[in-house]
Amino acid sequence: MVELIEVSSALSQFGGDPQKSASLASFLGFHPIQSPEDQLAGPQLGNLKLFFVQRSDWFGVKELYRIGSYDAKTGTVGLWIAVLSEWGKRSTDRDRPRRRVARALVEQVSDARSIVILVPNELQRSYRQEAEFVMPRVAGAVGKSSDSGAAVTSVRALVDLNTPNRFHRDLLRKLALQPGMPLLDVSLRWQQVFSVERVTTRFYQEYIKVRDRMADALLLHNKDHSVIGKWKEEEAKAWSTRQMGRMLFLWFLQSKQWLGEPHAQGPKDYLIGLWKKRQQSPIPEYYRGLLVPLFFEGMSNSAPGEAIRDLLGYTPYLNGGLFRENRLEDEVGRGGEVSLPDDIFDPDTDPNQPHTVLSLLGGYRFTTRESTPDDQSVDPDPELLGRVFENLYQGDARHDTGTYYTPREIVQYMCRQALDGYLRDQTGATQETLDWLRKQVTEKEDCLQPLPPELEERLISALELVRVCDPAVGSGAFLIGMMQEMIMIRRGIEYTKREYVHDEEQL
């Protein structure tokens, strides 16, 4: 617990300022560099500076500092800070500087391993109190590669510097280096900490514990219910799984600010806000008084009444099956109302106590952007919904329903191969051209080189007319993967003509 307090204090003192990074560097096990210097400043052009100065905008990197060092005997480990010219509203706005810095730290510096912290510039820090912790990786390698042509990828976590959540505090604690660690141990430790698979497994295990706790409470508090009173553990878990799935889905909608106010202006803590007003609801209970109306009158109704709007605020109608009662819930409904104690949801529980629904979800920073194999986030993304759904089906049930998760790398490979074959056939474009267009999205060349107008027109037309079908669609991983590939080609076309393409543009 003391370590978690220390990391919160170090992040607060840091505040995104490279000159105030000593306490954070020390916490992470590095020897702090006093008064770190901007590696991109000054008249002398070294290899590192040349790597960025190829473009007039320096690839969006304003300043670059080495703030900490660690001697791993067979090589040094560096802690870096990159100050960005523009932070942007979305992580996609940082794609190109993130990739450029990752490549620079792999190819241009002497450190065998590095972590880089992306921060807003000094004018933006007052209202963007956050930073991205990024680990550069060489594809297929644990250590650093000397092959400058090797693919460099990255894994990241977006951390609130003022109020870091439970997961981020724990992540930074585990990142901290211990005296005497050899380079291989540093590499393996960081790979484990930034492993998306491990984070997903951890979240799923915590999720299941909360689900089981809800199932136990359901049976205990509804013994007199004509239906639930006869249930065994299996039925209670099935019912609780559906409620937890709804809460998880709503947590993502909350991250998009789609709840509470129209036009994506709602609060990012909408569900916590409902918790705080539970005593003022007609039924002073979080589940019966607020969640049941939210599920079945707010989210499942295209025109909820004025009373529901007053109680819940704006709720989008998604016309999906998640917020409709299934067979099991219909049966329960005929037997009367269901009650769940508030302590199953309480977000203000002791960290040393079992998680509740809101403390579990509040312990992570959810992102609504799908990761790709080249640029992954350890913060839960929408793909987590599919993984949780798959893992909840075990043994024969998973086999009978075909509920299997396909890794991102395989999804990307299959979607890219299918789309490239289609585009080559329909437009006459070469594979080299398609690969070049993708490169423009991440590391655009300094000189604009528009495509021949006829080829551009054929590519855009082919992307608009393509029809994609996934007969075995489950969580939609392949459809999302194909959409990502199509958008990347379309953005690549725009980048051959313009210096910057806004993330929200409709392409």
Side-chain angles (χ1 to χ4, degrees), residues 30 174 204 345 375:
F30 289 85
K174 292 178 179 178
Y204 172 72
F345 300 94
D375 177 40

Side-chain angles (χ1 to χ4, degrees), residues 395-414:
D396 294 337
R398 182 183 296 184
H399 175 77
D400 293 343
T401 59
T403 311
Y404 292 95
Y405 164 73
T406 307
R408 284 188 178 97
E409 291 79 5
I410 296 176
V411 171
Q412 184 191 63
Y413 175 81
M414 294 178 67

Side-chain angles (χ1 to χ4, degrees), residues 70-77 110-113 181-185:
Y70 177 88
D71 184 4
K73 302 192 185 311
T74 56
T76 59
V77 181
S110 59
D111 291 328
R113 294 291 284 164
M181 287 181 70
L183 184 60
L184 180 59
D185 287 357

Side-chain angles (χ1 to χ4, degrees), residues 55 59 96 99 432-451 488-501:
R55 286 180 50 80
F59 291 91
R96 296 169 73 199
R99 286 174 181 262
E432 290 74 16
T433 297
L434 298 177
D435 292 340
W436 175 72
L437 288 173
R438 290 189 177 96
K439 185 177 179 182
Q440 304 314 300
V441 179
T442 56
E443 290 199 27
K444 185 180 181 313
E445 296 178 357
D446 197 23
C447 299
L448 295 175
Q449 300 180 36
L451 288 172
M488 177 168 275
I489 293 292
R490 189 68 177 84
R491 288 174 67 85
I493 294 172
E494 292 302 312
Y495 268 122
T496 66
K497 301 180 293 183
R498 292 191 277 163
E499 289 290 339
Y500 185 77
V501 178

Side-chain angles (χ1 to χ4, degrees), residues 84 90-103 116 118 132-139 151-158 194-196 367-383 387 405 408-409 412 416 438 441-443 480 484-485 488 491 503:
L84 304 191
R90 302 174 177 85
S91 64
T92 48
D93 295 324
R94 299 184 288 278
D95 278 355
R96 296 169 73 199
R98 183 190 305 119
R99 286 174 181 262
R100 196 63 177 180
V101 170
R103 274 194 59 196
V116 60
L118 306 186
E132 267 192 9
F133 286 72
V134 181
M135 184 183 74
R137 300 188 303 181
V138 178
V152 177
T153 65
S154 64
V155 190
R156 54 190 160 79
L158 183 61
F194 273 108
S195 168
V196 176
T367 173
T368 53
R369 180 194 175 189
E370 293 273 358
S371 295
T372 68
D374 297 331
D375 177 40
Q376 294 188 333
S377 170
V378 291
D379 295 323
D381 67 4
E383 185 186 35
R387 291 197 182 195
Y405 164 73
R408 284 188 178 97
E409 291 79 5
Q412 184 191 63
R416 186 166 292 186
R438 290 189 177 96
V441 179
T442 56
E443 290 199 27
I480 294 294
Q484 289 176 329
E485 291 300 316
M488 177 168 275
R491 288 174 67 85
D503 183 57

Side-chain angles (χ1 to χ4, degrees), residues 134-435:
V134 181
M135 184 183 74
R137 300 188 303 181
V138 178
V142 174
K144 183 171 177 175
S145 171
S146 60
D147 178 9
S148 62
V152 177
T153 65
S154 64
V155 190
R156 54 190 160 79
L158 183 61
V159 178
D160 187 312
L161 298 177
N162 285 333
T163 54
N165 62 40
R166 172 177 57 88
F167 169 64
H168 285 156
R169 296 195 306 268
D170 193 43
L171 180 143
L172 294 178
R173 179 182 62 81
K174 292 178 179 178
L175 277 180
L177 304 177
Q178 302 302 318
M181 287 181 70
L183 184 60
L184 180 59
D185 287 357
V186 172
S187 298
L188 292 175
R189 184 186 187 99
W190 284 0
Q191 289 285 352
Q192 291 173 356
V193 173
F194 273 108
S195 168
V196 176
E197 295 293 334
R198 284 176 174 265
V199 173
T200 301
T201 299
R202 165 182 163 161
F203 178 84
Y204 172 72
Q205 291 171 345
E206 294 176 345
Y207 184 90
I208 287 301
K209 289 180 181 179
V210 174
R211 189 279 309 267
D212 292 349
R213 186 181 175 194
M214 180 184 289
D216 292 342
L218 175 71
L219 296 177
L220 179 63
H221 287 265
N222 296 273
K223 291 180 179 180
D224 296 331
H225 192 282
S226 62
V227 175
I228 298 175
K230 302 175 183 178
W231 274 3
K232 298 189 184 307
E233 184 179 9
E234 182 179 353
E235 290 94 345
K237 286 184 177 180
W239 184 91
S240 300
T241 293
R242 191 159 178 83
Q243 315 314 311
M244 289 286 292
R246 287 169 175 147
M247 292 294 289
L248 179 57
F249 186 80
L250 286 170
W251 206 267
F252 279 104
L253 295 189
Q254 172 182 267
S255 299
K256 292 287 288 184
Q257 296 181 270
W258 286 358
L259 301 173
E261 298 289 342
H263 312 302
Q265 297 296 319
K268 290 187 176 182
D269 60 350
Y270 173 81
L271 292 171
I272 301 296
L274 288 186
W275 166 262
K276 293 177 179 179
K277 61 184 281 189
R278 68 192 185 283
Q279 296 298 334
Q280 286 75 51
S281 66
I283 302 175
E285 179 186 305
Y286 190 61
Y287 178 74
R288 278 197 305 154
L290 291 165
L291 292 186
V292 170
L294 176 61
F295 294 164
F296 304 122
E297 297 180 65
M299 299 300 299
S300 63
N301 194 332
S302 59
E306 185 175 341
I308 293 297
R309 284 285 187 239
D310 291 341
L311 180 67
L312 303 173
Y314 173 79
T315 53
Y317 175 57
L318 303 180
N319 194 25
L322 182 60
F323 296 102
R324 297 187 189 131
E325 293 184 334
N326 61 9
R327 179 194 58 79
L328 194 64
E329 290 172 319
D330 282 339
E331 181 183 350
V332 170
R334 290 192 290 270
E337 291 187 325
V338 178
S339 177
L340 285 176
D342 280 350
D343 60 16
I344 295 297
F345 300 94
D346 190 352
D348 300 318
T349 54
D350 187 323
N352 297 316
Q353 297 300 315
H355 293 309
T356 67
V357 178
L358 294 177
S359 71
L360 167 66
L361 298 178
Y364 293 83
R365 182 167 189 162
F366 287 75
T367 173
T368 53
R369 180 194 175 189
E370 293 273 358
S371 295
T372 68
D374 297 331
D375 177 40
Q376 294 188 333
S377 170
V378 291
D379 295 323
D381 67 4
E383 185 186 35
L384 185 71
L385 288 168
R387 291 197 182 195
V388 169
F389 173 73
E390 181 216 11
N391 286 326
L392 286 172
Y393 285 83
Q394 301 295 329
D396 294 337
R398 182 183 296 184
H399 175 77
D400 293 343
T401 59
T403 311
Y404 292 95
Y405 164 73
T406 307
R408 284 188 178 97
E409 291 79 5
I410 296 176
V411 171
Q412 184 191 63
Y413 175 81
M414 294 178 67
C415 291
R416 186 166 292 186
Q417 291 294 312
L419 181 63
D420 286 1
Y422 165 78
L423 292 176
R424 291 195 304 268
D425 292 344
Q426 294 294 316
T427 69
T430 65
Q431 187 61 51
E432 290 74 16
T433 297
L434 298 177
D435 292 340

